[in-house]
Amino acid sequence: MLTAIVVSIVTFLVLQVLPGDPARLMLGTEATPEVYARVRHELALDQPPLGRYLNWFWGFLRGEWGNSWRYSMPVRGLALQAFPLSFSLGLSAVGLSLLVAIPSGIFMAIKPASLLARALSVATQVSFGLPQFWVGLLLIQVFAVELRLLPAGGNASPLGLLLPTLTLALPRSAILGRFMRAGMAEAMQQDYVRTARAKGLAGGVVIYKHALRNGVLSVFTIAGLQFAQLLAGTIVIEQVFGLPGVGQLLLAGVFQRDLPLVQALVMVIVLFILLFDLLFDLGLGLLDPRIRYE
Amino acid sequence: MNRGPTATRIWGVVLVGCVFALTILGYFYTPYEPHEVRVLERFQPPSGEHLLGTDHFGRDIFSRILVGGRISLLIGIGAVFLGSVLGTTLGLVAGYRGGAWEEGIMRISTSIQAFPSILLALLFATIWEPGIQVVLWSVSIGNIPNFLRLTRNQVLSIKKRPYIEAARALGARDWRIMLRHIIPNLRDALLVQFTVSLAGAILVEASLSYLGVGIQPPTPSWGRMLREAQNYTSLAPWTLFPGLFIAVTVIGFNLLGDSWIFRRDDVLKRE
């Protein structure tokens, strides 16, 4: 909560106080003094920063995010149009990466010496280092240009979201796969797993009933955090595939110096990240009683 | 797992070595002048004449790649260095002083962590012109929390050890204890963090340049080249080559960082 307030102050400071004069930013250097004075007054820039901050923050909390300078529309309306797309993109990407990461992580943990596990390990290392926008461009090249199977972009239908989802899921499944492997490897060494083995339970039962349950916990935590971070991560991918999500809106705001738009979108994304941090801390405590103490 | 660390280290050294070698080569020799526009030679596919083909201005892509890497490396190293110095200093103060100092510094750190580097960069790009300074500041600020937490945790665990108390009993001042006794203990961990952060920084720089808020033309950079390539990939897929070099650089630094983690664990085991 306190962090949220600090974050809001930082955002406000960076956008409204650091540049010195948002009215100048908005009008450029060639506006007449009268227009300049009028705009300053309309934007309430002639008031002290603290008052402006409180005004803005209070308005933000009540859902009044101001008007976009560029589009002359309420920022909230623009944001509400853009968020569902980015949201579903993030959700499907994290879902897909969990589907890939959990089985491959288990496999890497229980058969670390096998050829497939080694290959997976290399693939993890590689996909972790690939620039996402490049992967996106390559996928477009292969599936849209060469094979003509899928739309290249600018298309928010389920089919059009397939390539962006794949692109976003690739590095995330690599990270989650690593955590899965580490979590499983650790769980497999615990006493209760050895006990289960010793009393003669089949290997599969031990793995899925005893080890997996504990090994998978950290993976879910990380996946939750990743989902929140993905709202920022989709910015690049939306640019690659020309998808009208939050990223494109934010980027347009940046290039057109649309301060209210940028300010509100950044705040929403950051608050979202903080909220998910909190929720996952709480959720993890419910799943795993050992964590509750702190 | 015995083979793993060695292979990791070798690959890391080889990949990073290649990138550095090519970048240094770029200072002395490029097949073509990287800025030279030859309209008649637009979109030449890779051949003996143009190793990786030419772009929409007829510029030689391989020459531009040779020159384009230096800005990524320089910015990456500079930004991570700045972030590591700030983060380590704050971490030392937080761990060593404790109390309200620690509370305040950790609060700042969690607030920074809520901003992904890209988001921070977009904030800066809104008020400044897009360019190098946007990348430099967003990456270095974004890296502060990693170094800060690392340093603080180490300081907390080292602080209570007898030799620190001995040093203090002998009358050593705070800064002397930090410099002579605490920093040397941190060196390995910081080195690993630095390498891994460098990989991340190069990735962020490339993404920002691709989005158009990072490195600006005429300076060639790999990310920017891909931004310009995007409109022509169906005509000239070889314009996507710069991405390969970003990938090799990032993977190389990641492997290098990983191999140092392994080595440190080896050393600990032997002890």
Side-chain angles (χ1 to χ4, degrees):
Chain A
M1 186 61 214
L2 203 57
T3 312
I5 293 173
V6 174
V7 162
S8 75
I9 294 176
V10 170
T11 311
F12 185 83
L13 276 180
V14 169
L15 284 178
Q16 302 272 349
V17 182
L18 268 190
D21 199 344
R24 261 294 163 238
L25 269 184
M26 185 182 178
L27 293 168
T29 45
E30 294 182 13
T32 60
E34 298 86 66
V35 175
Y36 176 68
R38 203 189 69 225
V39 168
R40 267 183 77 85
H41 183 71
E42 274 173 14
L43 297 175
L45 291 179
D46 37 8
Q47 288 163 21
L50 184 66
R52 273 160 53 204
Y53 165 73
L54 290 176
N55 250 336
W56 167 69
F57 192 58
W58 180 231
F60 180 82
L61 289 181
R62 282 177 308 161
E64 288 166 19
W65 299 350
N67 280 326
S68 154
W69 291 349
R70 178 70 191 184
Y71 299 99
S72 303
M73 273 176 73
V75 169
R76 194 168 60 147
L78 290 167
L80 285 180
Q81 275 178 7
F83 265 102
L85 177 63
S86 304
F87 211 78
S88 53
L89 202 55
L91 208 57
S92 52
V94 170
L96 180 62
S97 44
L98 277 175
L99 280 182
V100 177
I102 293 180
S104 59
I106 295 176
F107 187 78
M108 286 191 283
I110 56 179
K111 289 222 161 61
S114 66
L115 202 63
L116 182 60
R118 287 220 193 109
L120 278 174
S121 166
V122 172
T124 307
Q125 191 62 264
V126 169
S127 53
F128 191 50
L130 296 177
Q132 291 210 28
F133 57 97
W134 187 56
V135 174
L137 291 172
L138 287 180
L139 286 176
I140 292 179
Q141 185 65 26
V142 173
F143 289 99
V145 178
E146 304 286 342
L147 301 175
R148 295 180 190 282
L149 282 176
L150 293 165
N155 180 334
S157 66
L159 208 59
L161 289 184
L162 193 60
L163 289 182
T165 305
L166 272 178
T167 315
L168 282 170
L170 187 68
R172 274 147 196 102
S173 23
I175 299 170
L176 292 177
R178 279 187 151 192
F179 275 96
M180 190 67 224
R181 179 179 61 184
M184 276 303 276
E186 199 194 323
M188 299 284 281
Q189 285 172 359
Q190 300 290 323
D191 290 342
Y192 59 81
V193 170
R194 202 178 330 134
T195 311
R197 280 246 162 93
K199 70 182 186 189
L201 286 180
V205 178
V206 175
I207 289 167
Y208 294 107
K209 278 198 80 170
H210 293 80
L212 178 61
R213 224 182 254 189
N214 291 288
V216 87
L217 271 178
S218 62
V219 175
F220 275 122
T221 328
I222 307 291
L225 299 183
Q226 281 190 341
F227 174 62
Q229 299 271 351
L230 257 180
L231 273 188
T234 56
I235 297 171
V236 180
I237 292 310
E238 285 171 18
Q239 171 78 8
V240 174
F241 291 94
L243 295 170
V246 186
Q248 290 279 287
L249 190 61
L250 182 57
L251 209 58
V254 168
F255 282 122
Q256 287 151 1
R257 310 220 144 160
D258 192 338
L259 297 193
L261 185 64
V262 174
Q263 204 166 333
L265 290 180
V266 168
M267 269 311 283
V268 172
I269 294 175
V270 170
L271 286 183
F272 194 77
I273 292 175
L274 288 175
L275 187 73
F276 258 74
D277 276 1
L278 189 69
L279 281 181
F280 266 80
D281 279 355
L282 296 176
L284 202 66
L286 288 179
L287 282 173
D288 185 352
R290 284 172 302 181
I291 301 173
R292 265 179 236 161
Y293 299 8
E294 281 185 78
Chain B
M1 281 307 278
N2 248 340
R3 271 182 41 193
T6 327
T8 308
R9 182 148 54 237
I10 292 172
W11 275 106
V13 170
V14 167
L15 295 183
V16 170
C18 282
V19 170
F20 270 105
L22 286 176
T23 304
I24 291 170
L25 176 69
Y27 277 100
F28 300 105
Y29 167 79
T30 51
Y32 291 82
E33 157 59 40
H35 297 288
E36 191 181 273
V37 174
R38 299 182 177 196
V39 185
L40 290 178
E41 290 177 33
R42 301 175 65 190
F43 300 130
Q44 298 285 316
S47 64
E49 214 166 312
H50 292 283
L51 206 53
L52 300 179
T54 62
D55 68 2
H56 56 293
F57 285 131
R59 296 175 297 194
D60 183 55
I61 291 179
F62 184 60
S63 302
R64 290 177 67 72
I65 286 176
L66 284 182
V67 178
R70 66 178 76 148
I71 192 90
S72 302
L73 289 173
L74 284 176
I75 288 203
I77 293 171
V80 176
F81 181 74
L82 199 62
S84 68
V85 170
L86 291 173
T88 310
T89 314
L90 287 171
L92 277 174
V93 174
Y96 203 81
R97 280 288 176 93
W101 281 92
E102 187 173 13
E103 189 103 343
I105 289 174
M106 295 320 283
R107 177 71 59 196
I108 297 173
S109 169
T110 38
S111 307
I112 295 177
Q113 274 178 298
F115 287 97
S117 282
I118 298 237
L119 211 55
L120 211 53
L122 291 182
L123 267 184
F124 290 146
T126 316
I127 54 166
W128 298 330
E129 291 294 319
I132 289 180
Q133 71 281 11
V134 168
V135 185
L136 193 66
W137 285 106
S138 57
V139 172
S140 52
I141 294 177
N143 267 305
I144 289 178
N146 288 333
F147 287 96
L148 197 161
R149 271 177 310 148
L150 184 79
T151 311
R152 171 182 162 262
N153 292 344
Q154 293 272 346
V155 171
L156 287 181
S157 76
I158 296 171
K159 193 163 84 167
K160 294 276 155 56
R161 291 193 192 162
Y163 65 88
I164 302 280
E165 277 179 34
R168 186 168 309 143
L170 286 171
R173 289 178 195 282
D174 284 353
W175 58 264
R176 188 186 161 84
I177 293 178
M178 286 190 202
L179 280 180
R180 295 292 300 256
H181 301 288
I182 292 182
I183 298 254
N185 273 300
L186 280 171
R187 207 181 43 210
D188 283 359
L190 286 177
L191 194 65
V192 171
Q193 181 65 46
F194 195 93
T195 320
V196 175
S197 294
L198 194 54
I202 288 168
L203 215 44
V204 171
E205 182 274 318
S207 308
L208 291 174
S209 299
Y210 167 74
L211 286 177
V213 298
I215 316 298
Q216 299 296 309
T219 313
S221 73
W222 296 337
R224 183 77 201 188
M225 286 169 79
L226 287 171
R227 175 186 180 81
E228 289 165 13
Q230 184 170 6
N231 297 324
Y232 310 106
T233 48
S234 53
L235 198 65
W238 53 88
T239 49
L240 291 175
F241 269 120
L244 185 66
F245 288 78
I246 304 174
V248 166
T249 314
V250 175
I251 294 170
F253 278 116
N254 272 334
L255 289 173
L256 216 52
D258 279 4
S259 75
W260 276 326
I261 298 177
F262 282 127
R263 193 176 64 180
R264 221 160 65 92
D265 291 350
D266 285 352
V267 173
L268 289 180
K269 259 178 234 155
R270 253 182 274 137
E271 282 174 358

